[in-house]
Amino acid sequence: MKRAVFLSVLVAGLITSFAVADNPVTGSIEAVKVVVGNSGEEVYLPADEARPQDVIEYRLTYANRGEQAVSKLSVTDPVPTGACYVAKTARAPKSATVLFSVDDAKTFHAWPVRVKQTNAEGREVWVDATPEMITHIRWTLSGDLAPADEIKFSYRAEVE
């Protein structure tokens, strides 16, 4: 129960809007719980409480409220503590690339992310990162975000 309360505070804190001074781009993050309905379809519920193994979809929306196009828009979102990225769920429009970090946003790479690990013989080898290793996700637009336009990104994480 303690974890569910902690996560509900985390999720509630993510359902917010923000803007940076002198920046025409505004953004919001919404978190919804993904469950399977009676007919096998996905149903989205308010994520006011989360328990282990719940899947939460984080939806990020950014809009250009300025009068000029914004170029090179890049958005980075941390995978919440106590949750694990669900593989292949990061979504973006075709005009954006998605990159992943396994080192707290120091570096970003396309999927599959490769990491060095020490094998049983004590040698360093390159292996594919697992979804549990993902700490941050970054989306970067290849084009401009025109005035009054909006762009949406999303990903899912499972509560640990």
Side-chain angles (χ1 to χ4, degrees):
M1 180 64 183
K2 186 177 183 182
R3 174 168 269 173
V5 172
F6 167 75
L7 247 14
S8 77
V9 171
L10 172 69
V11 169
L14 288 173
I15 304 171
T16 183
S17 290
F18 57 91
V20 178
D22 298 330
N23 185 344
V25 177
T26 60
S28 64
I29 301 174
E30 176 187 20
V32 295
K33 190 183 305 187
V34 182
V35 298
V36 178
N38 294 335
S39 302
E41 77 285 4
E42 288 188 345
V43 177
Y44 305 103
L45 302 173
D48 50 3
E49 182 176 294
R51 299 189 185 287
Q53 298 182 335
D54 282 351
V55 174
I56 307 297
E57 182 171 284
Y58 296 92
R59 300 172 177 173
L60 297 81
T61 304
Y62 289 84
N64 182 354
R65 302 291 180 226
E67 297 177 11
Q68 306 275 331
V70 174
S71 59
K72 299 181 182 178
L73 178 66
S74 185
V75 174
T76 301
D77 194 51
V79 175
T81 302
C84 170
Y85 170 68
V86 176
K88 300 180 182 178
T89 62
R91 302 283 181 251
K94 291 181 181 184
S95 62
T97 58
V98 182
L99 300 175
F100 302 88
S101 177
V102 295
D103 58 8
D104 291 319
K106 293 178 186 127
T107 61
F108 285 86
H109 309 277
W111 193 264
V113 178
R114 304 279 292 163
V115 295
K116 272 188 183 179
Q117 288 187 342
T118 304
N119 67 14
E121 292 84 38
R123 287 192 288 182
E124 284 191 340
V125 294
W126 287 97
V127 297
D128 288 346
T130 61
E132 298 83 19
M133 299 169 83
I134 302 302
T135 61
H136 292 74
I137 303 169
R138 175 175 288 165
W139 297 266
T140 303
L141 284 182
S142 58
D144 293 343
L145 185 61
D149 273 1
E150 162 176 293
I151 191 156
K152 296 177 184 263
F153 311 109
S154 67
Y155 70 96
R156 293 180 179 182
E158 182 176 327
V159 178
E160 296 176 325

